[in-house]
Amino acid sequence: MNNLFPIFLKLENLHTLIIGGGYVGLEKITAVLDNSPEARVTLVSPEIRQEIRDLANQNSRINLIDRRFNDDDLHEKDLVIVATNDKEENKRIAEVARARNIITNVADTPAICDFYLSSVVRKGNLKVAISTNGMSPTFAKRLKEVLGEALPDNLDTAMEQLKAVRDMLKGDFAHKVDELNRITAVLTEKKKDSSEPL
């Protein structure tokens, strides 16, 4: 049973620490920036891939620190992504971060994560996050591909129109919800088979 609580974070308002500058670190910083291009990120590692350095050269909100992690790096950080190739050190960092009430993700170690990075389908302003509760990132990736193909590309137009309708509606919150549900009911109606009698 998946008991995870799904949220969408405004990473531009937070300070993210990534520990590890190898392939997994690149994967994590890319995921962060793809979803939150204005995120403030500090990455600490004694070895940092050139692709990460290139990202930092293009983005002033990325700070690279060329050395091994030390516990003081957690100071004033809001969330941590641990991506080193040392499993014992990863576990230790997660324990130190948790003791400081900093939520932590440890790459490829779901049992000691406070949160997971999801597969994300993006269509304009719509984002659909997919979680397999850490069981199968590959399945999430495939489902992302299916949803990406199934959802139309012009959803932003529909969302803009619904926002305009919502802004014009009068009445209390419950009335607005009822009206928007009535207006959007067509989105969930099954199309009649042309062979069915009217």
Side-chain angles (χ1 to χ4, degrees), residues 4 40 45 48 61 63 95-96 121 130 140 150 180 196:
L4 298 172
R40 184 171 157 211
S45 179
I48 300 175
R61 294 181 61 88
N63 178 34
E95 289 169 356
V96 174
V121 179
I130 302 164
L180 288 170
E196 289 181 12

Side-chain angles (χ1 to χ4, degrees), residues 17-77:
L17 175 65
I18 299 176
I19 304 161
Y23 177 78
V24 179
L26 173 62
E27 182 182 82
K28 300 306 181 186
I29 196 171
T30 301
V32 166
L33 296 173
D34 280 353
N35 283 285
S36 298
E38 297 299 313
R40 184 171 157 211
V41 179
T42 295
L43 186 142
V44 180
S45 179
E47 296 178 16
I48 300 175
R49 291 178 66 99
Q50 186 58 46
E51 296 96 326
I52 296 172
R53 293 186 187 283
D54 293 343
L55 288 171
N57 288 335
Q58 299 162 16
N59 187 334
S60 63
R61 294 181 61 88
I62 300 172
N63 178 34
L64 302 182
I65 301 175
D66 291 279
R67 61 162 167 74
R68 289 182 62 80
F69 167 83
N70 71 57
D71 294 359
D72 290 340
D73 293 325
L74 295 170
H75 183 64
E76 295 187 347
K77 303 304 185 297

